[in-house]
Amino acid sequence: MIRLENIQFGYVKSKRLFDDVTLTMEPGHIYGLLGKNGAGKTTLLKIMTGLLFPNAGNATILSENASLRKADALQNLYFLQEEMYVPHLKIAQFEAAYAPFYPNFSHEQFEYYLSEFELAGAPNYLDKLSHGQKKKALIAFALATNTQILIMDEPTNGLDIPSKSTFRKLMASAADDSRLVLISTHQVRDLHSLIDMVAILDNGHMLLNASTYEITQKLLFDVDDSRTTEGTVFYTEETPRGNYQVKENVNGLDSNLDLELLFNAAMMKKNEIANLFK
Amino acid sequence: MNIKNIKNLFNAYFIENWKTDLFQFGILAAIVLFGTLTSNSGGTYSNIPVAISSIMLMIYPERLFRNLHGASSKIHYLSIPASTGEKLLVNMLLANIYMVAVVVLACVVGYGLAHLYWIMRGFDVAFHHGPHIYPSGVLFIYMLLSVFFFGSIYFRKRTTLSTFGVGLLIGVIFSVLFSLILWVNGMMLVPKGAAFHDYVWSLDYSVDISEKVEETLLYVLMGVMIVYFYALSFLRLRETEA
């Protein structure tokens, strides 16, 4: 559904942001795209959506060249950007203006999502709402479009704690086998229970692209060697509750994936983690 | 081209812009009304509304493509599910037909109201003809519109001013070049002892073609320029990145 092949890109010719990014994303999953600030997460999303053109390589979305921005592909793709633009319209007017572009848009779902975000019947113009409210209104719209591909850049930025819970609940209910959801974020704790595929971008390369199942098969998330002392330790974090560890899962033990620990481990031991998932 | 996408683009435009358009219509109608009422020409059509209408038409593309001039609004615009051709066609129709109709209607309303006022006041006012419309003048306005249309996609901010500035610069450069060529040629051709100025003015610049052919050539030239600038606009919009 989304395919990036040997993508090379740089805003200036002398400094490449991506050297050789290759990535395939399939429907039926919620992907979490993780990376440090400036790693190029937003840039990669823009390349996927045809908003930026790669210097070399191919970006394909729904079997179409992303750079062509064909209407058929755009109808099945919604990109929720981090810094949102909202026109001077009320929510109902926004729906009247932009919902017709999406053939699978559901008014009932939109109303439901708005009510879940406590925005139903909001009388204000969208551009007069707070940042969090704008974001919630656009998340509700994005979900109601029922596009095959939903891409969100830092969707939980600016949301209060109850809204983050609502977001996770709605995302979980909106995901299905025909839909691909890609969420880019550096707030990994917000996505912990949501994503089932993890992609980590670092230094112009895809460091990791694996399912949460595969990750917990190969890595063990342990505290103070409580489960086993075997396996290479990739990362240790001292906390008042003990030493949290990420180590090689040599005995095939079950553990709960901790995205933050995984990310830190991947940053500390790049080659080892990358080789483990090759 | 998908008719449904085109309809949706028009729908989105009118939902977002009808108030602004109505406001501009009212402002222009008021200018024409008061311009006509206060003119000393006895109810004849003043040229001021024509100038204001032309300016309104030239700055309209900047408003049509204003979403391209901000980082997040650009992503919003480029992500709207319609092809580049559909987006361009809709904005061309809006600039070349819809806004022209709005401007003409505002002038007609303003002018008509002014005459209505005079009639109600008991003045014996004959309706004068509006400004004489030359086909070449209309085509020239449409050619300028296509230039500003391209400029509104090409430049990132203050697009109307930038287009005007670059246009002016190109005009000045061509004038200087033309003068230079004429001067150099003149210097070489002027017979010894003759004054350069007198010699240049004595030359016969007319070409032996009929007025009809000359006029047709002018239309064709402007038509080519219009097509050229809209083609450039399409290519530029297609290559626009966020």
Side-chain angles (χ1 to χ4, degrees):
Chain A
M1 207 171 240
I2 296 179
R3 186 180 293 272
L4 302 179
E5 287 173 302
N6 311 112
I7 294 291
Q8 291 178 9
F9 180 82
Y11 286 102
V12 283
K13 280 185 180 173
S14 55
K15 196 182 174 194
R16 278 224 185 114
L17 187 59
F18 302 134
D19 265 337
D20 183 20
V21 173
T22 296
L23 177 70
T24 303
M25 294 180 166
E26 297 296 340
H29 297 288
I30 300 181
Y31 287 82
L33 178 62
L34 314 178
K36 286 196 283 193
N37 290 338
K41 299 188 293 294
T42 302
T43 303
L44 196 66
L45 298 188
K46 285 182 179 174
I47 290 172
M48 285 176 188
T49 50
L51 295 165
L52 284 175
F53 308 147
N55 302 132
N58 297 314
T60 314
I61 196 153
L62 294 161
S63 308
E64 298 277 7
N65 182 349
S67 305
L68 297 177
R69 294 196 288 254
K70 286 196 173 176
D72 291 344
L74 294 175
Q75 280 176 351
N76 281 302
L77 161 72
Y78 194 92
F79 176 39
L80 180 73
Q81 45 176 328
E82 184 186 5
E83 293 299 324
M84 304 151 296
Y85 163 77
V86 285
H88 181 65
L89 293 174
K90 292 178 178 176
I91 291 176
Q93 292 171 325
F94 182 79
E95 184 193 1
Y98 292 102
F101 286 105
Y102 299 95
N104 299 321
F105 186 88
S106 164
H107 173 71
E108 290 73 27
Q109 283 180 12
F110 186 46
E111 291 285 311
Y112 168 69
Y113 297 137
L114 285 175
S115 67
E116 287 291 309
F117 279 128
E118 298 174 353
L119 278 174
N124 284 349
Y125 283 93
L126 275 168
D127 55 344
K128 304 290 177 203
L129 297 175
S130 71
H131 179 77
Q133 285 177 313
K134 278 183 206 168
K135 190 147 254 181
K136 287 190 277 186
L138 288 190
I139 289 171
F141 185 83
L143 290 173
T145 57
N146 288 304
T147 50
Q148 282 176 273
I149 299 174
L150 177 55
I151 297 177
M152 297 174 151
D153 192 8
E154 304 286 357
T156 53
N157 260 7
L159 294 189
D160 54 24
I161 293 167
S163 300
K164 284 181 180 177
S165 304
T166 309
F167 171 75
R168 282 192 291 268
K169 188 181 96 177
L170 296 183
M171 288 306 298
S173 68
D176 60 40
D177 287 346
S178 63
R179 202 172 207 187
L180 187 163
V181 180
L182 171 58
I183 301 172
S184 161
T185 189
H186 60 265
Q187 300 187 0
V188 289
R189 290 199 187 279
D190 294 340
L191 298 184
H192 186 73
S193 57
L194 199 60
I195 60 174
D196 62 347
M197 295 291 288
V198 182
I200 297 179
L201 185 64
D202 180 69
N203 208 19
H205 290 94
M206 235 38 231
L207 197 63
L208 173 78
N209 180 22
S211 69
T212 52
Y213 175 77
E214 193 183 349
I215 292 167
T216 51
Q217 286 290 299
K218 292 184 175 176
L219 292 173
L220 183 70
F221 296 84
D222 200 3
V223 186
D224 287 330
D225 288 332
S226 60
R227 313 282 301 278
T228 177
T229 54
E230 289 179 58
T232 314
V233 176
F234 294 119
Y235 179 72
T236 304
E237 190 172 300
E238 289 178 25
T239 74
R241 286 181 287 176
N243 292 331
Y244 284 82
Q245 296 177 331
V246 181
K247 55 180 132 183
E248 198 174 352
N249 191 1
V250 287
N251 297 321
L253 297 170
D254 287 335
S255 64
N256 290 325
L257 170 65
D258 185 317
L259 280 175
E260 203 165 297
L261 288 180
L262 170 70
F263 183 73
N264 288 334
M267 291 297 109
M268 294 286 286
K269 304 278 184 183
K270 290 173 186 173
N271 291 336
E272 290 87 336
I273 295 284
N275 286 334
L276 196 64
F277 288 90
K278 261 183 182 169
Chain B
M1 290 280 174
N2 184 321
I3 297 294
K4 199 174 172 217
N5 291 342
I6 290 169
K7 184 182 146 280
N8 289 339
L9 285 167
F10 275 119
N11 174 57
Y13 171 83
F14 286 115
I15 289 175
E16 273 192 61
N17 295 284
W18 70 271
K19 281 183 193 166
T20 313
D21 291 353
L22 193 63
F23 177 74
Q24 286 199 354
F25 172 86
I27 291 286
L28 184 59
I31 288 171
V32 175
L33 171 63
F34 291 109
T36 311
L37 285 177
T38 53
S39 73
N40 294 322
S41 47
T44 52
Y45 202 97
S46 161
N47 281 329
I48 293 170
V50 178
I52 292 171
S53 305
S54 303
I55 292 169
M56 269 181 71
L57 286 175
M58 297 311 133
I59 60 173
Y60 182 59
E62 178 162 355
R63 187 151 74 80
L64 275 178
F65 287 106
R66 68 183 180 281
N67 281 343
L68 289 180
H69 311 141
S72 53
S73 59
K74 188 191 256 186
I75 293 176
H76 163 80
Y77 182 73
L78 295 176
S79 303
I80 292 174
S83 67
T84 303
E86 288 158 357
K87 286 174 188 172
L88 196 86
L89 177 70
V90 166
N91 282 358
M92 277 171 65
L93 293 173
L94 285 168
N96 288 278
I97 296 174
Y98 165 72
M99 193 38 75
V100 171
V102 167
V103 161
V104 169
L105 197 64
C107 291
V108 168
V109 167
Y111 187 56
L113 285 176
H115 280 78
L116 201 64
Y117 171 79
W118 275 320
I119 290 166
M120 284 167 68
R121 292 287 301 270
F123 293 116
D124 182 21
V125 179
F127 276 90
H128 294 264
H129 289 294
H132 189 81
I133 296 169
Y134 298 95
S136 56
V138 173
L139 209 57
F140 182 70
I141 293 277
Y142 275 112
M143 190 185 75
L144 280 184
L145 192 55
S146 69
V147 173
F148 280 96
F149 195 90
F150 171 66
S152 66
I153 299 172
Y154 183 82
F155 293 108
R156 288 184 179 177
K157 52 187 175 182
R158 289 191 284 279
T159 61
T160 307
L161 269 179
S162 304
T163 312
F164 181 74
V166 170
L168 202 65
L169 192 69
I170 291 171
V172 168
I173 289 170
F174 269 97
S175 302
V176 169
L177 273 177
F178 182 73
S179 306
L180 211 64
I181 290 165
L182 202 67
W183 183 74
V184 170
N185 280 335
M187 290 300 282
M188 288 190 295
L189 295 171
V190 176
K192 272 189 179 172
F196 173 72
H197 181 266
D198 293 340
Y199 177 76
V200 168
W201 280 104
S202 71
L203 291 173
D204 182 11
Y205 293 100
S206 62
V207 185
D208 192 19
I209 50 172
S210 72
E211 212 170 275
K212 188 85 181 163
V213 173
E214 196 180 347
E215 201 178 54
T216 309
L217 276 175
L218 186 69
Y219 291 162
V220 169
L221 184 68
M222 286 197 280
V224 168
M225 292 293 276
I226 290 170
V227 172
Y228 174 71
F229 278 107
Y230 283 122
L232 276 187
S233 301
F234 172 76
L235 295 173
R236 180 67 188 181
L237 187 60
R238 197 181 63 175
E239 298 303 317
T240 298
E241 297 180 78

